[in-house]
Amino acid sequence: MSTDTSVPHPRVSGVEGQPMDASDAALYATLLKEAPGGLAFFDGDLRCRRANDALAALLGVAVRDLQQRRPAEALPAEVATAFETALRKVLDEDRPISDLDLVVPAVQPPAPARPADPPGDAAALATAVEERILACTWLPARSGDGEALGVVLTALDVTERRRAEEVIRRKEQRYRSLVEASAQVVWVAAPGGGVIDDAPEWRAITGQTPDDYAAGGWLSVVHPEDRPRIEATWRECVAENRVFETNYRVRTKSGTFRHFDVRAVPIWQGGAVIEWVGANTDVTGQREAEEMRGRLTEQLSAAALRTARLQQATSMLAEALTVSQVVQVITEVGRSAIGADYSAVALLDDDKLRLSIVAPSQPGAEGEVRPIVRDDIKVSDPTVMSVAVRESRPFLAEHPDSLRLQLGRDEKGLFTQHTEERAWVGLPLLAAGAPIGALRFSFTRPREITEEERVFLEALAGQCALAVERALLFEREHKTAEELQRSLLPSDLPQLPGMVLAARYNPATRHVQVGGDWYDVFRLPDDRLAVAVGDVMGKGVLAAAGMGRVRNALRALALNDPRPAAVLAGLDRLFSATEDEEQFTTVAYVVIDPETGHGAFSNAGHPPPLLISPDTPARVSALEPGTPLGWPSQRQQTNFSIETSNTVVFYSDGLVENRRRGVDAGLEELVAVAADAPPEVVGDPERLVDFLVDRMLAGYEQVDDVTVLALHVPPKPA
């Protein structure tokens, strides 16, 4: 704003219009224009008679809007109310008001100034956009003869200062709360190590009076045996300005001593230490617990070690699925727990007449782990394991003479094979009180088995027996389900001149090789091709059997009426009549003419097929998948076709879904992977299915079976 509007002419004073000399006028004009704070004069009617640019900028208004107006006419309601309240109080009480903070709310800058607007007003308004805090002083103004003329306002912008003070206040509150809430006792010392402030929390522990603490500080209550060491260390740390960290005993107000850990650090300012801040932590309970543990360690160490080893064996055996894996675990745990040099597990045959020794797992073809079976032993033979099985009790031989004495001669076969053996332990493996095999450890030196070790070995044998029994059941079920599934899945796919097919089935784990995923491709009587991919919830024999029922029913229905909608409707009726309500099964089914590539498709809740074409980006079908089998639904079918050079891929949800990836994200990733497939891979279904499975499972734990079936129409020869 120009001085013509914000500063009165020098010939007239700000109050009575009396002439002023040049120096007074210059001082007056300079104060109004250059003062960093806001200045204003209000008359007895609360009207603003004079105001400078600084005040206008702080209030976010123009000077011309303030002059000759009351606060309520020019300012926001809250600010105007504060102004008028302060003005009336000064006029009524005829005394100044100081240190009154006024909060000016944030305002938005007005529209651009018109050419006729004074530039000073526009500049003032353009900056008044944030909330400001003003420190205001209201002074009564009097004439030379003492007559009250009005009120003079001075205002300073203290926004940043108040915010900084608030930050400091909050930090102090947090620090105080932290100290009060923690288990530590905080104290402060002078740069030379003497007492500065009182420490009520510390005195509450020690029972010192304020005078006692001021005179001797925390050192005066340190245990007499610890005090010389602590005092010397404290003086050294203070002299060298390094961290003081130690522990000592402190006399409490009850006369007992408690253990404290202490850490004190120097506080630096401008290259000099201005004070020390220390924190004491009561660790008496910890020290007492350590002493108690020390007294009990020798008594419990052996038992704790045995318990830990048994827990380790239990945990490892819980993950062992096959007998060979159980043997491997027992070999590792037994040798590490009792220092055995050799170990073996033998299982009884069905006639209970022979023991077959099973060695630990060894890698087989394609990473498969298979057991190694060695020579059989008759239960009637004089061997360590035979005796343990016959008598259902542990057999111990601490040296060769003990072995000969108990067996009447050397152990058949095994002793002559390992001539360096000098001590033996045989343990029966009992299930429901009946032996199913034996566990054997041997040593290359004479070895006495203590009673504690014997108890441990018997417990280990019990865990081994449970694991072996579970593994035998698993292997029997696995073999049955594997044979069932092998008989249900197609042994090979049809070879067609105008269409190439390829399929892959990946089980969820290496050992559980059976589940509910399935696929089927077969010729219909009219030479069309029926293609189905399905997923029966679950694993093992039940899932494989359910898969077989669905596959066989689908074939039967397709031979009667191959239309996809009719086949799925028939499966719905079958499910409603025969399957459990909790059974969840999905099927994608298509009938296609291999010569034309045209056909019909219907889906019962199965993931949408993947479509790959050399001319368009890879995508998944956008058709509605429908509901799983057995759920009320009107089955629909749509037209289906595979053009030349195109590929359609059917798959199970295990390809796109796992614990870390949802179905939607998996479908997007499948499309991206297919788009990255090289042309030579897309043109070869065998390579394509391997490419998709490898890329989609890379970096993820496979938790479900994966089935992939690809149909490709190669280009016709020129």
Side-chain angles (χ1 to χ4, degrees):
M1 176 176 284
S2 68
T3 56
D4 288 340
T5 57
S6 63
V7 181
H9 196 276
R11 65 184 177 83
V12 180
S13 71
V15 181
E16 290 296 320
Q18 300 299 323
M20 295 190 297
D21 59 29
S23 62
D24 290 341
L27 175 62
Y28 176 72
T30 301
L31 282 175
L32 282 179
K33 183 173 181 58
E34 304 296 339
L39 297 173
F41 172 72
F42 294 85
D43 61 18
D45 292 331
L46 307 186
R47 295 187 179 276
C48 178
R49 301 291 297 279
R50 297 289 186 272
N52 67 345
D53 291 346
L55 180 63
L58 293 174
L59 296 176
V61 298
V63 170
R64 58 182 170 79
D65 293 335
L66 286 174
Q67 300 206 126
Q68 306 307 321
R69 288 184 172 90
R70 292 185 176 185
E73 299 171 348
L75 300 176
E78 295 181 2
V79 179
T81 300
F83 263 64
E84 294 187 358
T85 300
L87 290 171
R88 288 193 178 94
K89 185 172 183 180
V90 172
L91 292 173
D92 294 343
E93 300 180 4
D94 193 27
R95 64 181 182 86
I97 299 176
S98 58
D99 297 330
L100 177 64
D101 282 356
L102 177 66
V103 178
V104 179
V107 297
Q108 296 297 326
R114 296 167 298 177
D117 291 339
D121 280 1
L125 290 172
T127 59
V129 295
E130 296 183 356
E131 180 183 273
R132 313 302 298 170
I133 302 175
L134 308 182
C136 298
T137 300
W138 312 79
L139 304 170
R142 303 179 182 86
S143 63
D145 57 4
E147 180 184 358
L149 300 177
V151 179
V152 174
L153 164 67
T154 64
L156 294 177
D157 187 349
V158 294
T159 304
E160 300 304 324
R161 183 198 310 169
R162 293 293 187 265
R163 290 174 179 171
E165 291 172 351
E166 178 64 16
V167 171
I168 294 174
R169 183 185 64 81
R170 290 180 180 177
K171 288 183 177 180
E172 290 177 347
Q173 288 179 342
R174 285 196 295 267
Y175 170 75
R176 187 177 301 108
S177 300
L178 178 62
V179 170
E180 292 176 354
S182 67
Q184 295 180 326
V185 180
V186 179
W187 48 269
V188 181
V195 174
I196 294 182
D197 297 329
D198 188 20
E201 294 86 359
W202 178 254
R203 292 191 295 100
I205 296 173
T206 63
Q208 294 172 283
T209 64
D211 293 339
D212 293 338
Y213 183 77
W218 55 270
L219 278 170
S220 62
V221 290
V222 176
H223 194 287
E225 296 177 0
D226 299 337
R227 184 165 181 172
R229 170 179 61 87
I230 298 302
E231 279 188 303
T233 304
W234 173 239
R235 291 194 190 97
E236 291 175 3
C237 292
V238 170
E240 300 173 6
N241 291 329
R242 58 182 173 87
V243 175
F244 173 66
E245 190 168 12
T246 185
N247 55 77
Y248 49 77
R249 290 167 290 177
V250 171
R251 185 186 67 249
T252 65
K253 59 185 178 182
S254 64
T256 60
F257 286 90
R258 298 188 68 82
H259 293 271
F260 279 83
D261 284 349
V262 62
R263 178 181 173 85
V265 296
I267 306 301
W268 295 83
Q269 185 176 6
V273 175
I274 59 172
E275 65 182 8
W276 288 77
V277 176
N280 285 40
T281 305
D282 190 338
V283 294
T284 305
Q286 178 182 340
R287 291 297 180 88
E288 291 176 349
E290 290 174 355
E291 293 176 359
M292 181 177 295
R293 283 197 298 269
R295 291 191 298 267
L296 297 176
T297 295
E298 293 183 359
Q299 303 174 21
L300 300 178
S301 59
L305 182 59
R306 289 191 298 271
T307 301
R309 286 169 173 167
L310 191 59
Q311 289 175 343
Q312 178 191 20
T314 302
S315 176
M316 296 173 67
L317 289 171
E319 299 179 1
L321 296 177
T322 64
V323 175
S324 58
Q325 291 176 334
V326 172
V327 175
Q328 188 171 14
V329 170
I330 290 298
T331 298
E332 295 174 1
V333 174
R335 291 182 183 180
S336 63
I338 61 173
D341 299 296
Y342 301 101
S343 62
V345 173
L347 301 180
L348 275 171
D349 61 10
D350 295 337
D351 296 330
K352 309 297 183 183
L353 298 177
R354 304 186 70 87
L355 287 165
S356 298
I357 299 176
V358 184
S361 303
Q362 298 293 335
E366 300 181 355
E368 184 182 1
V369 178
R370 298 178 178 176
I372 298 178
V373 181
R374 294 182 177 174
D375 297 336
D376 290 349
I377 303 173
K378 293 181 180 180
V379 174
S380 59
D381 286 340
T383 67
V384 170
M385 289 192 286
S386 299
V387 174
V389 169
R390 288 200 308 267
E391 301 182 7
S392 295
R393 64 172 181 82
F395 176 93
L396 305 177
E398 301 171 355
H399 47 75
D401 292 340
S402 175
L403 180 69
R404 295 187 184 95
L405 181 62
Q406 296 185 69
L407 298 182
R409 53 177 174 172
D410 291 342
E411 182 177 15
K412 178 181 178 181
L414 293 177
F415 180 59
T416 57
Q417 180 180 356
H418 302 296
T419 56
E420 68 274 19
E421 292 181 351
R422 292 296 179 268
W424 300 262
V425 177
L427 300 148
L429 300 180
L430 304 175
I436 61 173
L439 174 60
R440 179 183 187 276
F441 295 107
S442 59
F443 309 84
T444 57
R445 64 191 184 283
R447 175 74 153 80
E448 180 181 357
I449 303 299
T450 65
E451 183 61 27
E452 291 79 7
E453 289 175 329
R454 175 172 175 164
V455 172
F456 165 76
L457 289 173
E458 290 183 7
L460 181 63
Q463 293 294 330
C464 180
L466 292 175
V468 166
E469 186 178 31
R470 183 181 66 249
L472 290 172
L473 291 173
F474 168 81
E475 290 181 349
R476 283 196 290 268
E477 179 181 346
H478 165 71
K479 183 178 180 181
T480 302
E482 186 177 23
E483 292 175 352
L484 176 60
Q485 186 176 35
R486 188 182 298 114
S487 67
L488 294 174
L489 291 178
S491 58
D492 52 23
L493 299 175
Q495 300 298 319
L496 307 172
M499 183 176 295
V500 183
L501 295 89
R504 290 290 181 273
Y505 175 77
N506 271 28
T509 69
R510 177 185 302 174
H511 305 292
V512 183
Q513 298 179 357
V514 290
D517 283 17
W518 61 280
Y519 63 90
D520 198 6
V521 182
F522 56 93
R523 287 275 198 160
L524 296 170
D526 57 3
D527 287 335
R528 286 187 298 170
L529 197 66
V531 179
V533 176
D535 186 0
V536 178
M537 180 182 64
K539 292 285 185 297
V541 174
L542 293 179
M547 177 262 287
R549 289 194 298 272
V550 174
R551 175 179 177 269
N552 292 335
L554 184 144
R555 280 202 171 204
L557 291 168
L559 293 175
N560 180 54
D561 183 354
R563 292 175 305 157
V567 170
L568 294 189
L571 290 176
D572 284 334
R573 293 191 297 272
L574 172 68
F575 253 68
S576 300
T578 62
E579 302 296 328
D580 294 335
E581 294 182 358
E582 295 80 7
Q583 183 63 54
F584 189 91
T585 300
T586 63
V587 175
Y589 175 61
V590 61
V591 174
I592 187 168
D593 186 341
E595 294 185 359
T596 64
H598 299 301
F601 172 72
S602 188
N603 192 351
H606 206 71
L610 173 68
L611 312 175
I612 305 176
S613 172
D615 303 324
T616 59
R619 65 194 187 280
V620 294
S621 173
L623 297 176
E624 178 65 34
T627 60
L629 293 181
W631 293 25
S633 174
Q634 182 67 36
R635 296 300 176 186
Q636 305 292 331
Q637 70 182 37
T638 59
N639 293 332
F640 179 88
S641 65
I642 308 178
E643 303 298 333
T644 301
S645 302
N646 289 3
T647 304
V648 176
V649 180
F650 299 93
Y651 52 90
S652 62
D653 59 357
L655 184 68
V656 295
E657 184 181 19
N658 54 48
R659 293 190 180 99
R660 293 164 45 203
R661 179 176 63 195
V663 174
D664 293 339
L667 292 176
E668 293 178 2
E669 188 171 342
L670 177 62
V671 171
V673 169
D676 289 341
E680 62 273 15
V681 172
V682 175
D684 184 351
E686 292 287 346
R687 298 176 61 184
L688 178 62
V689 293
D690 288 337
F691 180 85
L692 294 177
V693 171
D694 292 343
R695 291 286 294 273
M696 290 299 294
L697 297 184
Y700 295 101
E701 179 188 1
Q702 185 181 347
V703 297
D704 196 3
D705 299 342
V706 173
T707 299
V708 181
L709 176 64
L711 285 69
H712 174 70
V713 177
K716 295 182 179 180

